[in-house]
Amino acid sequence: MIKTIAAVGLPVDEVLEIKKNRIMPENPGSNLKRISVVTGIHGDELEGQYVCFELQQRIEERKECLTGIVDIYPAMNPLGIDSITRGIPAFDLDMNRLFPGDIDGGMMEYVVARIMEDVAGSACVLDIHASNIYLTEIPQIRINELHQDILVPMAKEANVDFVWVHGASTVLESTFAYSLNHIGTPVLVVEMGVGMRITQGYGQQMVDGIFHLMKKMGIWQGEVKPVRKPIISRNPEDVCYLNASVGGVFIPAVQHGAKLKKNETIGRIVDPLCGTVLDEVQAPEEGMLFTIRDYPVVVEGSLMGRLLKKEVCGYE
């Protein structure tokens, strides 16, 4: 059932509409649990579009196994998705810095307040993001340390490779996830893939995880696939950041997710004009490369990757 949860008029005889698709069980009872899958808050992050599609396809194939409510919100920022813009076009706003909004406020404050009202009360929310156009991320869930006691057990069931528990930050207090977690609606923030693209393998992995979560919550009675055991990091010192020492073109030498030895070459920064190697990017520690530069042009200070130290990963 398609439902419009917020609608506001635009200047030239058009309407901005935020929609969801609610999937109900064939024989609904009372007090049904609800899981919400949210994506498209940033218009240049498209990985979640495939998740929404694949999730609905699989539910329809075994609809008789559904025993709860699945709410799917594929486009929280439809103007951004239509124009391939991270923020809200014409307003120069990052939608994920406007929550919880104000029902009596301006246009976008009203829209995000209506989103909050509609999603609140879910037993679990998955807020699916991609990385930006510059970086590729392995499937991971990021959790504010203030809510880790509730969220980490859920994240372990979601079939991601990595759960990153990070410190509280002022800017996070205006995000969709923080605002809902603050009022008691648990939200898992998923980061995976790369901006402006769809990585089908990551999307399928995430859908497997959603079904596993639904089974644990009593929303799905069908068979589900086993999920991988994620690496969990709670210490900021577990992660090494790799930044470019010079501008140029980055040529990677390893695959995303590679397990690296200390000083192993990750890639080279080259000068196409002179045909010279300007710098070799090396692993500062032994560990797993969970973020890698995808867009090749770099300037000094550009993020080249993130490496999770071996002692946290626990591999041999």
Side-chain angles (χ1 to χ4, degrees):
M1 177 179 65
I2 307 297
K3 179 183 177 182
T4 299
I5 62 171
V8 291
L10 295 174
V12 187
D13 197 30
E14 292 183 345
V15 178
L16 168 63
E17 293 183 315
I18 313 296
K19 297 181 179 182
K20 74 174 181 182
N21 188 5
R22 168 162 288 186
I23 306 175
M24 298 286 294
E26 292 179 341
N27 299 300
S30 57
N31 300 317
L32 297 178
K33 286 188 177 179
R34 170 168 54 118
I35 188 169
S36 294
V37 179
V38 174
T39 191
I41 286 179
H42 292 135
D44 61 351
E45 298 177 0
L46 305 177
E47 299 281 7
Q49 303 299 302
Y50 181 75
V51 173
C52 292
F53 164 77
E54 180 70 11
L55 178 61
Q56 292 181 77
Q57 289 275 300
R58 294 196 202 177
I59 290 174
E60 289 302 322
E61 289 173 0
R62 298 289 307 280
K63 188 73 175 290
E64 70 278 5
C65 297
L66 186 65
T67 53
I69 300 170
V70 180
D71 276 347
I72 297 176
Y73 304 77
M76 288 299 202
N77 177 12
L79 295 178
I81 292 174
D82 288 348
S83 59
I84 322 176
T85 305
R86 180 175 179 81
I88 304 166
F91 294 90
D92 195 27
L93 294 171
D94 183 338
M95 190 176 196
N96 212 25
R97 298 295 182 270
L98 299 177
F99 289 92
D102 183 352
I103 206 73
D104 297 315
M107 172 179 165
M108 293 313 303
E109 290 179 307
Y110 165 78
V111 168
V112 299
R114 290 288 296 116
I115 291 171
M116 283 284 294
E117 286 182 358
D118 201 78
V119 180
S122 301
C124 179
V125 181
L126 289 109
D127 177 21
I128 301 176
H129 294 260
S131 188
N132 54 39
I133 64 170
Y134 303 103
L135 303 167
T136 299
E137 304 275 5
I138 64 172
Q140 60 195 264
I141 287 175
R142 299 181 183 177
I143 292 170
N144 188 301
E145 65 181 6
L146 298 175
H147 308 112
Q148 62 176 306
D149 291 346
I150 295 172
L151 299 181
V152 169
M154 289 184 172
K156 289 179 179 179
E157 308 294 337
N159 202 34
V160 293
D161 298 283
F162 179 36
V163 176
W164 192 358
V165 181
H166 56 77
S169 172
T170 302
V171 71
L172 292 174
E173 295 181 9
S174 56
T175 63
F176 171 74
Y178 182 93
S179 299
L180 280 171
N181 279 315
H182 186 66
I183 62 172
T185 296
V187 182
L188 300 173
V189 179
V190 179
E191 296 274 355
M192 64 181 187
V194 63
M196 296 190 186
R197 299 292 184 269
I198 286 175
T199 312
Q200 291 189 44
Y202 287 168
Q204 290 162 2
Q205 178 181 335
M206 193 69 247
V207 174
D208 289 343
I210 293 172
F211 274 104
H212 194 268
L213 265 173
M214 288 165 59
K215 180 98 171 185
K216 286 284 184 179
M217 296 165 59
I219 294 175
W220 183 256
Q221 293 183 336
E223 293 184 3
V224 296
K225 296 179 180 178
V227 295
R228 58 195 71 195
K229 182 179 179 181
I231 299 163
I232 300 175
S233 169
R234 292 182 170 89
N235 187 345
E237 295 182 1
D238 292 343
V239 176
C240 299
Y241 294 81
L242 312 174
N243 297 96
S245 62
V246 65
V249 175
F250 175 65
I251 309 297
V254 296
Q255 296 292 319
H256 187 221
K259 296 176 177 64
L260 304 172
K261 302 292 186 182
K262 185 175 181 179
N263 298 325
E264 186 173 345
T265 298
I266 293 171
R268 298 177 296 167
I269 300 175
V270 304
D271 180 352
L273 179 61
C274 300
T276 56
V277 177
L278 302 174
D279 187 36
E280 284 205 8
V281 183
Q282 296 179 328
E285 300 280 350
E286 191 171 0
M288 180 183 68
L289 190 69
F290 71 91
T291 304
I292 192 169
R293 184 81 179 185
D294 195 82
Y295 188 77
V297 177
V298 299
V299 297
E300 183 179 347
S302 293
L303 184 62
M304 313 295 297
R306 299 187 187 97
L307 183 123
L308 190 65
K309 294 179 182 178
K310 179 182 177 181
E311 55 264 32
V312 186
C313 299
Y315 63 83
E316 296 298 327

